[in-house]
Amino acid sequence: MSVKINENYLLLKSSYIFAEINQRVNKFQEENPETEIIRMGIGDVTRPLPKAVIKAFQKAVDEMGHSETFMGYGPEQGYSFLINKIIENDFKSRGIDLSEDEVFISDGAKCDTGNIQEIFGLDNVIAVTDPVYPVYVETNVMAGRTGPMGDEGKYEKLVYLPCTAENDFVPALPSEDVDIIYLCFPNNPTGTTLTKEQLTTWVNYARENKSIILFDAAYESYITEDDIPHSIYEIDGAKEVAIEFRSFSKNAGFTGTRCAYTVVPKEVMAYDLEDNAQAVNPLWNRRQTTKFNGVSYPIQKAAAAVYSEEGQKEIKESIDYYMQNAAIIRESLVEIGLEIYGGVNSPYIWVKTPEGIDSWAFFDLLLTEANVVGTPGVGFGPSGEGYFRITAFNTLENTKKAMERISKLSF
Ligand code: MLT
């Protein structure tokens, strides 16, 4: 007898994409200690938390130091003061009604999009857009839903929906039946969006096929154009078939602070072996209350301050700042003849690599010749080959410097 591991873990690629990039960048930095590297790889923000957020955060930390105001365990689902602000500001303002027990506060959309699959059966057929945020795929690999990876870099049992320049990055409906569909719009990594009409096609598909859409809207605050849905619940009928994930990371700078939320409407159903409908909301509640003890009180107070007048003003300034970077990246890359996408409703710019240079070769070229780090598109899935992602999250100064350096390269 010997202890057995979860064999599914052996099906994973050796490391998570951003860990792999870090390793390569650190190695390069060790070999070239004098070189100033500009990081535009992982989508991590650089602007500090808004002052309104810090003020609320500090006040709540002080409260924790006094017996009259000390808080122990909070509700696993989050405090009402934050949930109600979310409902009021992020949904009611767009004509969407939600009740308090449909919103679950968490420490990140990464965890929630990764954990949600636990409440669904292992036989479900999973569809992902390709390229895709790797967390959706890899958590399903860990759970045993995907089988091994085949030669083309695709897990055998996953349904891949290619999103490339050829289809304007709009995924076509699958030709086979799928049960769970991961959609992320504005998209990570391509920075592209779906219109209301295009998203309606997916909601209708899910309703007709008794499927569920897992909708990651972590980048909704970067939408600048009309007719792009900020929430999937802007689409009629979506509350029956969609779970939505939101985050305070990218809009309010919480990447290191950690706060996010997931909306699970009570109408969303999954089916048992006798084909009886079972509400998903109580199952997610059951999962969270068992495995999660909630986000800390000071952090939820800090997140609530995002919705204050001052907080809203400050987060808008940060988003505008990053979008100014995005415009600079777009203009600079177009000027040197590169084909680019995204960056209009998103902090990500998706670059077609020059003829004959694959994603990792482009990564190496930019790292060694311009000392700029981006993310190779193929790291997000096979349809990402031949593309490269650059984020607008660095400082304005570094963004300009990086573009100057890249502009000097000849491809
Ligand atoms: C990314 O770079 O794709 C994101 O930072 C990943 C994340 O938010 O976890």
Side-chain angles (χ1 to χ4, degrees), residues 243-303:
I243 294 173
E244 181 164 304
F245 304 90
R246 294 277 191 107
S247 169
F248 293 100
S249 284
K250 316 287 160 136
N251 65 343
F254 276 61
T255 51
T257 313
R258 312 306 303 151
C259 197
Y261 66 88
T262 290
V263 180
V264 189
K266 290 193 199 123
E267 294 96 313
V268 177
M269 297 291 157
Y271 297 83
D272 65 21
L273 291 177
E274 276 82 47
D275 213 27
N276 299 313
Q278 301 282 350
V280 170
N281 174 293
L283 300 183
W284 182 244
N285 187 49
R286 188 71 180 79
R287 190 262 174 215
Q288 290 298 80
T289 48
T290 302
K291 293 197 175 185
F292 185 57
N293 257 337
V295 174
S296 82
Y297 172 74
I299 287 181
Q300 292 193 60
K301 276 287 180 186

Side-chain angles (χ1 to χ4, degrees), residues 163-169 189-190 192 329-343 348-357 362 383-390 406 411:
C163 293
T164 60
E166 283 69 45
N167 63 2
D168 266 337
F169 302 94
T190 65
T192 57
I329 297 169
R330 284 176 55 90
E331 280 158 26
S332 313
L333 299 182
V334 166
E335 198 143 300
I336 57 168
L338 290 174
E339 209 177 293
I340 53 135
Y341 306 91
Y348 294 132
I349 293 88
W350 192 237
V351 186
K352 184 97 192 73
T353 58
E355 192 72 33
I357 306 180
F362 197 64
S383 296
E385 182 54 281
Y387 292 92
F388 191 78
R389 194 190 75 176
I390 296 185
I406 294 175
F411 302 114

Side-chain angles (χ1 to χ4, degrees), residues 178-199:
V178 300
D179 305 305
I180 295 175
I181 305 141
Y182 288 84
L183 295 179
C184 171
F185 289 99
N187 187 257
N188 179 12
T190 65
T192 57
T193 47
L194 292 187
T195 62
K196 283 199 177 131
E197 195 186 334
Q198 288 161 340
L199 190 56

Side-chain angles (χ1 to χ4, degrees), residues 16 18 41-44 110 133-135 188-189 219 249-250 255 258 348 375 380 389 391 393:
Y16 185 59
F18 295 109
I42 192 161
D44 196 2
K110 178 176 181 175
Y133 182 41
V135 172
N188 179 12
Y219 299 92
S249 284
K250 316 287 160 136
T255 51
R258 312 306 303 151
Y348 294 132
T375 310
F380 296 102
R389 194 190 75 176
T391 88
F393 283 128

Side-chain angles (χ1 to χ4, degrees), residues 89-137:
N89 291 277
D90 293 348
F91 296 97
K92 222 179 198 136
S93 62
R94 298 190 186 279
I96 300 157
D97 284 321
L98 291 174
S99 62
E100 231 188 88
D101 52 1
E102 292 178 304
V103 178
F104 296 82
I105 310 294
S106 78
D107 59 348
K110 178 176 181 175
C111 324
D112 285 356
T113 54
N115 291 330
I116 193 81
Q117 48 77 28
E118 281 182 29
I119 60 173
F120 299 108
L122 291 179
D123 292 339
N124 285 302
V125 178
I126 311 288
V128 292
T129 53
D130 175 28
V132 70
Y133 182 41
V135 172
Y136 316 151
V137 171

Side-chain angles (χ1 to χ4, degrees), residues 6-13 117 122 126 134-149 154-156 158 160 182:
N6 177 347
E7 289 279 328
N8 299 319
Y9 275 63
L10 302 180
L11 303 176
L12 291 164
K13 279 186 290 182
Q117 48 77 28
L122 291 179
I126 311 288
V135 172
Y136 316 151
V137 171
E138 297 188 356
T139 51
N140 278 291
V141 176
M142 292 169 180
R145 282 190 197 87
T146 64
M149 187 182 268
K154 294 182 180 176
Y155 284 99
E156 283 172 4
L158 275 191
Y160 289 79
Y182 288 84

